[in-house]
Amino acid sequence: MRGAIVMAAGAGRRMGGRPKGLLRREGEPLVLRQVRLLREAGLERVALVLGHHAEAIEAALQAAGPLAGQVRRVRNPAPDAGPGGSLRCGLAALGAEIQEVMVLLADQPLLEVQDLQAMQAAWRERPAGVELVFPQHDGQPGHPIVFGAGLRALLLGSAAAGVREWRRAHPAQALAVPVAHARCTTDVDTPEDLVRLERAHGVRLEP
């Protein structure tokens, strides 16, 4: 069974304290866009990890109607402790029966369903011994990443390490999938990022 985690626990301090996942692309909040893409890509179960702006994101999810019933929400009690904690919250919320996990960020405005499908295909076709696949553009790693039950168990059993730390410690078990576009490596952290996004890609995000 396949599952996915959307990471949406951050405070958005460099964006002026606003929830980045509630920035809207063509009227659709990014966090809801990510959930929709995951469902379109065939992910059976989606967990949304909340933190600083949990109430606001919950309200947006409830306003989405039927989509709300397709998402497991979990709140990270220590969202400033690093992404590893949020990831463990999401893994626990998915349930032990999930054998393939995809992780993406709430503030990736350029992702399309074909990007998710490409990473699923890369996971299915991975060489023996590979425990993690991730997209890479111009030498920069991005999301969504995909891993299986073995790495899931290791991450759940570690109180500190996240995927980035594991990947650096086990490079032979992590497969970089080259992509020719910046969709998987583009997120938004600052107001300046919003300006660059519109100039470079023609995508405008509204509050």
Side-chain angles (χ1 to χ4, degrees):
M1 188 173 185
R2 300 173 299 171
I5 298 170
V6 181
M7 305 278 271
R13 293 185 179 90
R14 288 188 288 166
M15 194 66 77
R18 77 173 77 171
K20 296 183 295 179
L22 292 185
L23 293 170
R24 296 175 178 269
R25 177 177 174 177
E26 298 174 348
E28 183 179 30
L30 290 181
V31 67
L32 300 182
R33 185 175 189 273
Q34 309 301 57
V35 171
R36 175 176 59 79
L37 292 176
L38 288 164
R39 297 295 295 174
E40 290 175 3
L43 277 299
E44 290 95 341
R45 187 173 296 170
V46 178
L48 177 62
V49 183
L50 305 175
H52 283 282
H53 300 288
E55 291 81 7
I57 295 175
E58 279 275 13
L61 192 63
Q62 291 298 333
L67 191 64
Q70 302 174 16
V71 182
R72 296 189 174 196
R73 279 92 81 190
V74 59
R75 187 164 184 169
N76 180 359
D80 292 327
S86 287
L87 181 59
R88 283 186 289 277
C89 288
L91 290 172
L94 282 180
E97 64 273 25
I98 298 297
Q99 298 298 308
E100 177 184 319
V101 181
M102 174 175 285
V103 182
L104 52 76
L105 311 179
D107 63 341
Q108 291 183 273
L110 299 180
L111 287 180
E112 299 292 347
V113 68
Q114 61 261 34
D115 301 318
L116 280 57
Q117 293 168 334
M119 294 310 300
Q120 289 176 303
W123 173 254
R124 291 193 299 269
E125 298 162 7
R126 71 193 185 282
V130 168
E131 298 289 344
L132 167 75
V133 298
F134 63 95
Q136 183 169 276
H137 176 67
D138 283 347
Q140 179 183 354
H143 287 79
I145 62 173
V146 183
F147 55 87
L151 182 52
R152 169 200 169 99
L154 289 173
L155 293 169
L156 278 172
S158 171
V163 171
R164 182 182 302 176
E165 292 81 7
W166 182 91
R167 176 169 55 83
R168 289 172 176 170
H170 304 85
Q173 296 175 267
L175 177 65
V177 180
V179 294
H181 52 75
R183 293 192 297 269
C184 293
T185 55
T186 300
D187 58 11
V188 289
D189 291 319
T190 68
E192 291 75 20
D193 288 341
L194 301 181
V195 174
R196 283 191 290 268
L197 181 73
E198 186 169 7
R199 288 176 178 172
H201 302 285
V203 172
R204 182 178 179 84
L205 299 182
E206 302 284 355

